[in-house]
Amino acid sequence: MWFPSLFLVEGDPKIFDSQEPTTMSAGILNTTISTTTNTNICCQDLPWSNDSAHVTYMSSVAIAVLANFHLISIPLIICLGVLGNLLAFFTFVSKPLRNTSCSLYLAARSASDIGFLLALFVTWLGDAMGVLIYHTNVICQCVLFLSYVCGFLSVWLVVLITAENYIRICHPFTVSRLCTVPKAKAFIIGFTVGGAIIFHFPLWITGLNNMNGTVVCNFFPQYVEITRTLTHIDTVISLVIPSIVILTLMVLITHSFIKSFKRQTRLRQGQNAVNGREGSKKKTSPQAKVTRMLFAVSFIFLSLTLPSYIIRLRILLLTFENKQSSSPTVDQVMQVIFQIVYYLSFAVNLIVYLVCGDNFRKVFVDMYIACFLRSRNPRRKPEFSHTSFTTVRLEAPEAAQVKEEEETSLT
């Protein structure tokens, strides 16, 4: 999705040295590792250099540890992320959950995250395992295109999820009009087509380049200026604008939460004073459960992605000031670390849904765990039956609760 070498060595002939431009940390890590292992450049004992940039250099031991950690963590994140997103996708598109707009947004996000992780896996195979499938024609362009589009979709789907949560909390009377399945489908198709149109450029400005006798997938040198411009556009579209929108909406949502909590507290205190006794414990409404889950999705996404975004912007600003160095700096190494954290945002979705989505958890258990148990013991008579929105006991007194549970499919 991003091209780190452009941020770090803009204007430098080494701009095409990165062999993995798909991922943000790849160019930095490749440059860092090659600096340490190939030329045996160790850092000075003093933490600060004497040049005008005043950057801190990392020791070769730290670089080696980081390289090994990167080598191991990326495939683990990919495997867990692909499996988790597959399970989440089929859960959201199942009959009990697919009839709400937020379920469609979350299902689409699971699909886009799978696409991004698969593109990451192809590049990791080439750079870490020596399987050069990425550095072949057609696959090179397709992987870059897929990573750009899927990365764009993932972040903007989180924007849509946050916007829907804002509507549910701050404008509840417009939910039935704005948060509908047809509108959700239209937004998903629109952003998918828009992303493909905006980020089609890897299909024609990238290909196989001969670098020091090695054929690698990268930009064609004649398009370097276009590449820089498009990278800056990508930074604005996929980083700056979505982050500002999500942060703004979450501040408004939090403010509304606080006001609502204070109002409910005053009402309960007034009722207790009139009744002269403690009020009964209030049951959490289905709508409140949905907003809690959507808020958790936005919060976890920001927590895992903001550090990487901030360090990217810092390095980009240093690039404009021409404060670059051939040795790995703390900023560059921190970008690699935060990039690994960023990749987690594509892999932990299932955990967030299971922890914060009560009905998602029930449907998930019924689809996978209960089904597995029934297949292991087919003669056992089932104790539970799955309704259209939740799992309830087959007892008459519980039938009255079904209508209330149908208010939402994510409670």
Side-chain angles (χ1 to χ4, degrees):
M1 177 180 175
W2 296 286
F3 297 86
S5 57
L6 299 178
F7 296 124
L8 298 178
V9 287
E10 188 171 18
D12 192 299
K14 295 181 180 180
I15 190 169
F16 298 101
D17 285 351
S18 172
Q19 297 184 15
E20 186 184 320
T22 305
T23 62
M24 207 165 42
S25 67
I28 306 168
L29 190 58
N30 288 345
T31 303
T32 299
I33 295 173
S34 62
T35 300
T36 305
T37 58
N38 296 339
T39 60
N40 295 320
I41 297 178
C42 296
C43 299
Q44 296 87 347
D45 294 333
L46 295 177
W48 295 92
S49 66
N50 295 322
D51 60 8
S52 58
H54 296 291
V55 291
T56 305
Y57 295 108
M58 297 295 292
S59 70
S60 57
V61 175
I63 299 300
V65 171
L66 179 60
N68 291 328
F69 179 73
H70 185 274
L71 182 68
I72 298 173
S73 62
I74 294 302
L76 289 178
I77 291 174
I78 293 172
C79 292
L80 294 177
V82 171
L83 177 61
N85 282 304
L86 275 175
L87 296 176
F89 175 81
F90 287 113
T91 303
F92 281 122
V93 298
S94 64
K95 187 176 180 180
L97 297 179
R98 66 188 176 199
N99 294 319
T100 59
S101 55
C102 47
S103 291
L104 293 182
Y105 289 138
L106 293 170
R109 189 195 173 198
S110 296
S112 65
D113 288 356
I114 291 173
F116 185 91
L117 291 172
L118 290 178
L120 177 63
F121 178 68
V122 174
T123 60
W124 178 85
L125 279 178
D127 290 319
M129 305 302 295
V131 181
L132 301 181
I133 183 174
Y134 171 58
H135 302 289
T136 57
N137 233 339
V138 179
I139 295 180
C140 161
Q141 292 86 350
C142 291
V143 168
L144 289 173
F145 174 75
L146 180 65
S147 61
Y148 263 103
V149 175
C150 290
F152 168 82
L153 278 178
S154 292
V155 66
W156 278 101
L157 285 170
V158 175
V159 172
L160 292 175
I161 292 168
T162 310
E164 172 152 326
N165 202 23
Y166 168 77
I167 294 172
R168 289 178 179 273
I169 294 174
C170 300
H171 305 282
F173 297 107
T174 63
V175 171
S176 59
R177 180 168 55 90
L178 299 178
C179 302
T180 63
V181 171
K183 282 186 171 60
K185 291 180 179 179
F187 276 120
I188 293 170
I189 294 174
F191 274 95
T192 303
V193 174
I197 294 174
I198 295 172
F199 297 108
H200 71 283
F201 60 86
L203 299 176
W204 56 274
I205 68 172
T206 59
L208 301 182
N209 293 272
N210 194 323
M211 300 179 184
N212 301 324
T214 303
V215 177
V216 297
C217 173
N218 215 323
F219 294 107
F220 293 124
Q222 60 267 32
Y223 296 122
V224 61
E225 294 298 332
I226 297 177
T227 301
R228 290 196 187 99
T229 302
L230 294 173
T231 302
H232 296 154
I233 294 174
D234 170 60
T235 302
V236 174
I237 295 177
S238 300
L239 189 159
V240 178
I241 296 178
S243 299
I244 293 175
V245 173
I246 294 174
L247 280 173
T248 302
L249 292 177
M250 290 192 67
V251 169
L252 295 175
I253 291 171
T254 303
H255 181 258
S256 180
F257 268 142
I258 296 173
K259 288 177 59 178
S260 176
F261 177 78
K262 291 181 178 178
R263 183 169 59 252
Q264 291 177 4
T265 301
R266 289 196 301 268
L267 290 175
R268 284 196 297 268
Q269 290 175 348
Q271 291 175 354
N272 293 340
V274 172
N275 298 332
R277 60 185 177 82
E278 291 290 332
S280 59
K281 186 177 180 181
K282 185 178 179 180
K283 183 180 178 181
T284 304
S285 67
Q287 192 73 11
K289 293 179 180 180
V290 174
T291 57
R292 181 185 64 184
M293 175 178 172
L294 298 182
F295 186 85
V297 170
S298 302
F299 179 78
I300 295 298
F301 175 82
L302 275 183
S303 301
L304 295 176
T305 57
L306 269 184
S308 176
Y309 289 171
I310 292 173
I311 197 69
R312 281 184 61 200
L313 289 176
R314 171 176 166 78
I315 293 177
L316 181 60
L317 293 176
L318 292 177
T319 311
F320 285 125
E321 297 176 7
N322 293 322
K323 294 183 177 181
Q324 294 298 321
S325 174
S326 59
S327 300
T329 66
V330 171
D331 287 335
Q332 295 171 350
V333 173
M334 290 301 294
Q335 185 178 8
V336 178
I337 296 174
F338 289 148
Q339 186 62 21
I340 295 174
V341 176
Y342 168 80
Y343 290 147
L344 286 174
S345 67
F346 296 91
V348 300
N349 299 331
L350 180 63
I351 299 175
V352 177
Y353 304 150
L354 289 174
V355 172
C356 302
D358 292 347
N359 202 51
F360 176 88
R361 184 168 56 250
K362 294 174 184 178
V363 175
F364 182 88
V365 170
D366 187 70
M367 284 185 62
Y368 301 111
I369 300 178
C371 181
F372 174 75
L373 294 177
R374 287 194 295 268
S375 65
R376 293 290 300 273
N377 192 4
R379 295 183 179 180
R380 182 180 178 182
K381 187 176 181 180
E383 182 183 1
F384 294 92
S385 175
H386 188 68
T387 69
S388 60
F389 290 94
T390 188
T391 303
V392 295
R393 286 183 180 275
L394 296 178
E395 297 176 2
E398 299 293 336
Q401 298 180 3
V402 173
K403 185 175 181 180
E404 178 183 358
E405 292 171 348
E406 291 179 349
E407 293 181 11
T408 178
S409 66
L410 285 178
T411 57

